[in-house]
């Protein structure tokens, strides 16, 4: 058995880079340091069914075809659709994403990543009011007040707390005892159990609570004795703790980005952080889910000027989540052809969006059998990034980390598959001119 | 006034984008030339006549042109975008961005419209007899300067975040509103005759919001200033008794005003 050290985990946005993989006969059989979720991905637990040959749906059944035939079919769907949608991107590396943006421009498609159903609202908010962000290193070494708002890292990002709260840092040499942990969540969770202060607010009242906290921070009275189920005195106590921070950090997740008001919750949370900097040092980091969801927003922004939901239909990039988001396009029945890569909307999108996916041709570039591949017309299995091929990913706060190749699968990486589709789309477009 | 009648043929499933349907782009063209104006269907361009029968008479000056769209164009976006003069009447529904960036003239839609109607409006008049979606009279995504002039009247109900970052002009909603009307508002006047669910004037710094119906939930960051009768806003008198609030004090230097009718709104006044 061989031990491969310093492997980067291709699961969540925490992007732990200290994993040791146990390799036997070109297969990962075990891990050290990884959390349970990361470990499962490395060792293909839970009976995952892996595709190794391209497939096409013929008379209702997926049958094996040659790579050329699958690429041809995928390119034809993209080139012939009037409003093709290219969705996913968050579980692949940045070079593949860059080819993807070029392909979207060539096919005059809309390109969108999973941010549109997770931290898209955060992206909208930071475009409106800014983004006072920092890195994990600063949190570990400096943070004395740590807030988790609308997230449960013990389950979703299992090593996040151990790296950022329990971990010992330069100015926080005792680790956890040197930090005040505040969790804001309507529910009791395994994260809230660890908190010094748990603000158990009412569902969908994040904006109301933040509005009251901001008014209190600026020295105003608030209208009511209780806001979002939190008594006035408690709000004063928490604001006091925040504004006396030497170095405060707000981590925020889906519980606030997708509760009522969405991006406006984040907008006012960012402004709270900004106003806190009048008396404290305060920063924030979004709890990004997929390991390279942040990377796509970076790549797409430097290629097109916009982070996601980019519409190339008229040849110039345009951007308006609410119109050009994947769910908008599917639920309004605007899109007439879809490519899915490195994500599984079949398992996560609402029923109405899936109904449209079932009506239109779908291409899936996907290593496993998933609900998405069940409704796909073409399936092209790639090598898995971070295990079977290398590439760059961006950690949740925007630090790029090089992913390693641990074993050999003999499959093409996403970027190669996309380059072949791009070449074919160019040929089809040239022939039709 | 010369009339140009566009009779829609069947609306395609992939939406049309017709920001060229304005008196400004029709002016000085004859009917044949207007029929050949390009519109987008997804990522492909077609002649206007592929999707509309074009009849009537054009004129040299956009202010002398009235465009009548004689039917339902529920899947056509950007009608009247950036128009500066003349008139457009839609005898049915229309999709997103009706009258976006409008600077003058008049648009009337007899049915419902999609989101972003009157986005970034600078002048003119936009009237919708049915319902409108979200972001009526909003800013462009990421911009902090929304509607700056003109008049928007929606007779039906509207969605979220109307009058977002509003700077000036007037908006009247005769029906009900979902959440966050006047979010980040900096100026202008928003009158809501129906009810509001929540977050009226969130993060507003200026401007005035008048709610004649019931506000379900109100934000704690406002300051209560008492009851005022027959209020005067932007030169007009609105009759009745109103609770007056200043805010949203969650934002620095805020001096926006929210009036909420005394009838039905006792629950939002501090005890």
């Amino acid at each position: 058995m061989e031990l491969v050290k310093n492997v980067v985990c291709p699961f969540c946005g925490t992007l732990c880079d200290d994993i040791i993989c146990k390799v036997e006969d070109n297969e990962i059989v075990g891990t050290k340091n990884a959390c349970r979720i990361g470990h499962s991905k490395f060792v293909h637990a839970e009976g995952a069914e892996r595709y190794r040959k391209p497939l096409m749906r013929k008379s209702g059944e997926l049958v094996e075809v040659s790579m050329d035939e699958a690429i041809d079919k995928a390119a034809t769907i993209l080139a012939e659709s009037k409003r093709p949608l290219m969705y996913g991107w968050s579980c692949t590396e940045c070079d593949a994403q860059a080819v993807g943006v070029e392909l979207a421009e060539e096919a005059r498609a809309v390109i969108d990543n999973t941010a549109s159903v997770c931290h898209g609202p955060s992206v909208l908010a930071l475009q409106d009011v800014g983004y006072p962000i920092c890195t994990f290193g600063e949190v570990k070494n400096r943070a004395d007040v740590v807030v988790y708002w609308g997230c449960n890292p013990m389950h979703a990002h299992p090593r996040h707390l151990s790296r950022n709260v329990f971990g010992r840092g330069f100015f926080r040499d005792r680790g956890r005892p040197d930090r005040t942990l505040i969790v804001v969540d309507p529910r009791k969770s395994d994260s809230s159990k660890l908190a010094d202060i748990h603000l158990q607010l009412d569902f969908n009242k994040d904006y109301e609570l933040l509005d009251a906290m901001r008014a209190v921070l600026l020295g105003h009275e608030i209208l009511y004795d209780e806001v979002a189920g939190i008594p006035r005195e408690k709000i004063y106590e928490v604001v006091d703790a925040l504004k006396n921070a030497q170095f405060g950090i707000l981590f925020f997740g889906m519980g606030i980005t997708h509760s009522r008001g969405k991006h406006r919750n984040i907008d006012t949370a960012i402004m709270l952080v900004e106003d806190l900097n009048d008396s404290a040092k305060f920063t924030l980091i979004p709890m990004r889910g997929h390991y390279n969801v942040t990377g796509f927003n970076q790549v797409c922004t430097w290629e097109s000027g916009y982070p996601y939901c980019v519409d190339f239909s008229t040849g110039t990039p345009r951007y308006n989540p609410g119109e050009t988001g994947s769910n908008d396009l599917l639920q309004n029945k605007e899109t007439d052809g879809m490519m899915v890569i490195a994500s599984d909307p079949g398992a996560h999108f609402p029923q109405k969006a899936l109904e449209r996916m079932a009506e239109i041709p779908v291409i899936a570039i996907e290593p496993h059998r998933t609900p998405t591949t069940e409704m796909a017309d073409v399936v092209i299995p790639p090598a898995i990034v971070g295990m079977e091929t290398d590439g760059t990913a961006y950690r949740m706060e925007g630090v790029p980390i090089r992913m390693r190749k641990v074993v050999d699968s003999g499959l093409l990486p996403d970027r190669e598959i996309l380059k072949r589709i791009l070449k074919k789309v160019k040929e089809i477009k040239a022939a039709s001119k | 006034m010369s009339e140009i009648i566009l009779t829609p043929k069947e609306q395609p499933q992939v939406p049309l984008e017709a920001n060229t349907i304005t008196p400004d782009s029709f002016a000085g063209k004859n009917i044949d030339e207007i029929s050949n104006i390009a519109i987008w269907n997804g990522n492909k361009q077609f002649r206007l006549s592929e999707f509309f029968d074009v009849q009537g008479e054009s004129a040299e000056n956009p202010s002398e042109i009235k465009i009548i769209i004689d039917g339902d164009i529920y899947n056509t976006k950007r009608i009247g975008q950036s128009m500066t003069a003349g008139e457009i009447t839609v005898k049915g529904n229309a999709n997103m961005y009706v009258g976006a960036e409008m600077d003058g003239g008049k648009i009337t839609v007899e049915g419902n419209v999609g989101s972003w109607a009157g986005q970034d409006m600078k002048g003119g008049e936009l009237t919708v007899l049915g319902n409108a979606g979200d972001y009526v009279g909003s800013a462009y995504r990421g911009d902090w300067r929304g509607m700056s002039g003109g008049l928007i009247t929606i007779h039906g109900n509207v969605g979220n975040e109307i009058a977002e970052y509003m700077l000036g002009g007037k908006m009247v909603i005769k029906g009900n509103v979902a959440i966050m009307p006047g979010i980040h508002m900096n100026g202008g006047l928003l009158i809501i005759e129906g009810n509001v669910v929540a977050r009226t004037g969130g993060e507003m710094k200026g401007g005035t919001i008048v709610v004649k119906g019931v506000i379900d939930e109100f934000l704690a960051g406002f300051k209560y200033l008492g009851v005022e009768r027959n209020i005067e806003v932007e030169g007009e008198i609105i009759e009745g008794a109103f609770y007056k609030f200043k805010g949203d004090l969650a934002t620095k230097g805020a001096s926006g005003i929210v009036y909420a009718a005394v009838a039905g709104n006792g629950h939002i006044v501090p005890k």
Side-chain angles (χ1 to χ4, degrees):
Chain A
M1 188 173 65
E2 184 198 353
L3 291 182
V4 184
K5 291 184 177 169
N6 299 323
V7 176
V8 182
C9 174
F11 186 75
C12 82
T14 317
L15 222 55
C16 299
D17 48 8
D18 59 350
I19 313 297
I20 299 171
C21 285
K22 300 175 190 172
V23 178
E24 254 179 39
D25 297 336
N26 196 34
E27 198 168 326
I28 301 169
V29 294
T31 62
K32 284 183 180 172
N33 296 341
C35 70
R36 278 198 205 180
I37 311 177
H39 172 82
S40 305
K41 175 148 185 185
F42 277 114
V43 301
H44 288 285
E46 306 278 336
E49 187 179 330
R50 182 72 193 272
Y51 288 134
R52 297 199 177 269
K53 290 266 166 54
L55 305 169
M56 260 171 66
R57 196 168 297 280
K58 293 181 177 172
S59 20
E61 295 295 319
L62 282 177
V63 292
E64 283 186 12
V65 293
S66 69
M67 184 57 88
D68 284 345
E69 191 178 351
I71 298 276
D72 271 8
K73 179 69 179 169
T76 308
I77 291 171
L78 286 176
E80 287 181 353
S81 299
K82 277 186 180 163
R83 203 151 169 72
L85 168 64
M86 295 163 56
Y87 172 81
W89 305 106
S90 299
C91 286
T92 188
E93 42 86 31
C94 293
D95 286 326
Q97 294 165 343
V99 180
V101 178
E102 195 185 345
L103 175 57
E105 189 172 0
E106 189 64 34
R108 296 200 166 199
V110 179
I111 189 165
D112 187 21
N113 81 323
T114 59
S116 80
V117 291
C118 68
H119 271 283
S122 312
V123 175
L124 289 178
L126 70 91
Q127 288 173 337
D128 272 352
V129 296
Y131 203 34
I133 198 167
C134 69
T135 63
F136 279 1
E138 286 175 276
V139 176
K140 186 182 87 171
N141 287 317
R142 295 171 191 272
D144 62 333
V145 175
V146 181
V147 184
Y148 284 96
W149 194 309
C151 48
N152 183 8
M154 284 302 282
H155 287 228
H157 300 85
R159 293 183 69 205
H160 202 274
L161 278 154
S162 62
R163 291 178 60 179
N164 292 296
V165 177
F166 289 91
R168 294 164 184 216
F170 190 83
F171 296 107
R172 305 288 166 235
D173 51 10
R174 293 185 301 158
R176 173 71 182 88
D178 286 347
R179 311 184 205 264
T180 304
L181 177 62
I182 302 173
V183 171
V184 189
D185 195 322
R187 301 164 305 178
K188 288 194 173 74
S189 68
D190 282 334
S191 304
S192 78
K193 280 181 198 161
L194 302 169
D196 299 300
I197 302 173
H198 176 203
L199 280 182
Q200 205 171 356
L201 79 172
D202 292 342
F203 279 103
N204 280 332
K205 293 288 175 69
D206 304 83
Y207 190 92
E208 280 74 9
L209 181 58
L210 283 160
D211 193 77
M213 287 169 72
R214 288 181 61 193
V216 167
L217 177 66
L218 295 180
H220 300 291
E221 289 287 318
I222 50 174
L223 277 178
Y224 311 117
D225 292 336
E226 193 184 282
V227 178
I230 309 292
R232 188 197 297 258
E233 298 69 38
K234 192 78 183 172
I235 294 174
Y236 278 91
E237 182 198 327
V238 171
V239 170
D240 219 43
L242 298 180
K243 75 181 204 190
N244 286 311
Q246 288 178 355
F247 188 104
I249 174 78
L250 168 66
F251 292 112
F252 57 98
M254 254 19 23
I256 172 167
T257 62
H258 280 271
S259 65
R260 185 173 70 165
K262 297 193 173 186
H263 58 291
R264 291 299 167 209
N265 304 337
I266 310 305
D267 148 354
T268 200
I270 294 174
M271 289 308 295
L272 171 72
V273 168
E274 214 167 296
D275 290 346
L276 279 166
N277 277 293
D278 289 348
S279 51
K281 167 71 186 170
F282 228 97
T283 54
L284 55 79
I285 293 176
M287 298 288 279
R288 305 301 297 262
H290 294 80
Y291 71 87
N292 198 23
V293 59
T294 311
F296 179 84
N297 299 140
Q298 301 273 350
V299 170
C300 196
T301 304
W302 78 57
E303 294 285 354
S304 76
Y306 300 112
Y308 69 120
C309 298
V310 184
D311 178 359
F312 284 104
S313 60
T314 61
T316 342
R318 295 185 296 175
Y319 160 80
N320 194 8
E323 181 195 16
T324 57
S326 301
N327 269 283
D328 308 307
L329 292 169
L330 286 166
Q331 295 189 29
N332 294 335
K333 294 187 180 292
E334 285 193 20
T335 184
D336 57 350
M338 184 176 183
M339 188 183 96
V340 179
I341 178 168
S343 76
D344 185 10
H348 304 119
F349 274 11
Q351 186 71 28
K352 210 176 155 197
L354 297 184
E355 279 168 16
R356 184 61 180 164
M357 278 179 71
E359 286 169 9
I360 60 176
V362 174
I363 308 151
I365 302 178
E366 167 61 51
H368 296 104
R369 185 180 180 196
T370 66
T372 303
T373 61
E374 287 301 292
M375 57 177 98
D377 300 277
V378 189
V379 180
I380 305 174
I384 298 174
V385 179
M387 290 160 61
E388 299 162 356
T389 182
D390 57 0
T392 300
Y394 278 68
R395 207 163 64 188
M396 58 170 73
E397 21 54 304
V399 173
I401 295 176
R402 190 73 184 169
M403 316 279 292
R404 296 191 61 175
K405 178 177 175 175
V406 183
V407 292
D408 200 14
S409 69
L411 293 167
L412 291 175
D414 291 311
R415 55 183 176 266
E416 284 306 319
I417 295 169
L418 290 163
K419 276 181 194 164
R420 290 190 189 190
I421 298 175
L422 174 63
K423 185 163 171 270
K424 195 73 203 170
V425 168
K426 281 182 175 167
E427 284 172 23
I428 297 171
K429 293 269 178 185
S432 69
K433 264 176 193 158
Chain B
M1 203 144 200
S2 60
E3 285 188 350
I4 300 167
I5 299 168
L6 304 182
T7 310
K9 300 172 183 173
E10 200 182 341
Q11 291 276 289
Q13 195 159 37
V14 172
L16 298 174
E17 287 193 60
N19 55 342
T20 42
I21 301 186
T22 59
D24 302 82
S25 89
F26 285 8
K29 295 189 174 72
N30 64 33
I31 293 300
D32 271 357
E33 286 166 334
I34 292 171
S35 303
N36 286 329
I37 284 178
I39 58 173
W40 288 95
N41 178 211
N43 54 20
K44 297 182 171 54
Q45 275 186 308
F46 294 88
R47 291 189 175 92
L48 185 62
S49 56
E50 297 259 346
F51 295 99
F52 294 89
D53 281 325
V54 186
Q55 288 168 316
E57 212 174 304
S58 189
E60 277 306 310
N61 195 327
S63 62
E64 292 158 14
I65 295 176
K66 179 174 183 179
I67 302 171
I68 297 170
I69 299 174
D70 195 10
D72 199 332
I73 46 162
Y74 64 92
N75 222 11
T76 304
K77 297 176 181 174
R78 300 182 189 275
I79 289 290
Q81 179 165 334
S82 306
M83 74 184 264
T84 63
E87 266 186 60
I88 299 178
T89 298
V90 182
K91 293 180 179 277
N93 305 311
N95 207 318
M96 298 174 184
Y97 306 103
V98 174
E101 296 168 43
M102 184 176 178
D103 207 359
K106 196 173 158 185
I107 300 177
T108 308
V109 181
E110 295 183 358
N112 304 326
V113 298
S115 299
W116 292 285
Q119 179 188 50
D120 250 342
M121 187 168 172
K122 294 171 182 70
E125 241 180 87
L126 169 63
T127 306
V128 177
L129 300 185
N131 302 326
D134 302 323
Y135 292 102
V136 179
S138 72
Y140 188 85
R141 277 271 184 233
D143 200 347
W144 63 96
R145 297 154 299 193
M147 173 176 174
S148 55
L151 169 65
I152 298 179
T153 311
I154 312 285
H155 288 256
N157 303 327
V158 298
N160 302 329
E161 297 198 37
I162 60 161
E164 178 215 27
Y165 284 107
M166 187 172 180
L167 279 173
K170 181 175 166 183
M171 188 185 303
V172 181
I173 310 294
K174 294 192 182 284
N176 299 326
V177 177
I179 59 170
M180 300 191 280
I183 181 101
H184 279 292
M185 190 168 168
N186 290 314
L189 172 61
L190 168 62
I191 298 175
I192 299 166
E193 300 191 356
N195 305 326
V196 181
V197 175
R199 300 180 189 170
T200 310
E203 294 168 85
M204 77 188 289
K205 282 189 167 176
T208 308
I209 304 176
V210 180
V211 182
K212 296 182 181 175
V214 175
I215 298 176
D216 276 0
E217 302 163 27
F218 198 58
L219 291 171
F222 279 78
K223 185 180 182 188
Y224 178 53
L225 300 177
V227 175
E228 262 185 37
R229 269 164 235 286
N230 302 334
I231 52 174
E232 189 186 339
V233 280
E234 311 256 321
E236 72 174 288
I237 304 282
I238 300 176
E239 293 195 352
F242 292 89
Y243 297 119
K244 186 178 186 183
F245 297 90
K246 181 184 164 191
D248 177 356
L249 300 178
T251 54
K252 286 179 180 169
S255 60
I257 297 293
V258 174
Y259 289 104
V262 166
N265 284 316
H267 62 284
I268 66 168
V269 176
K271 303 277 180 309

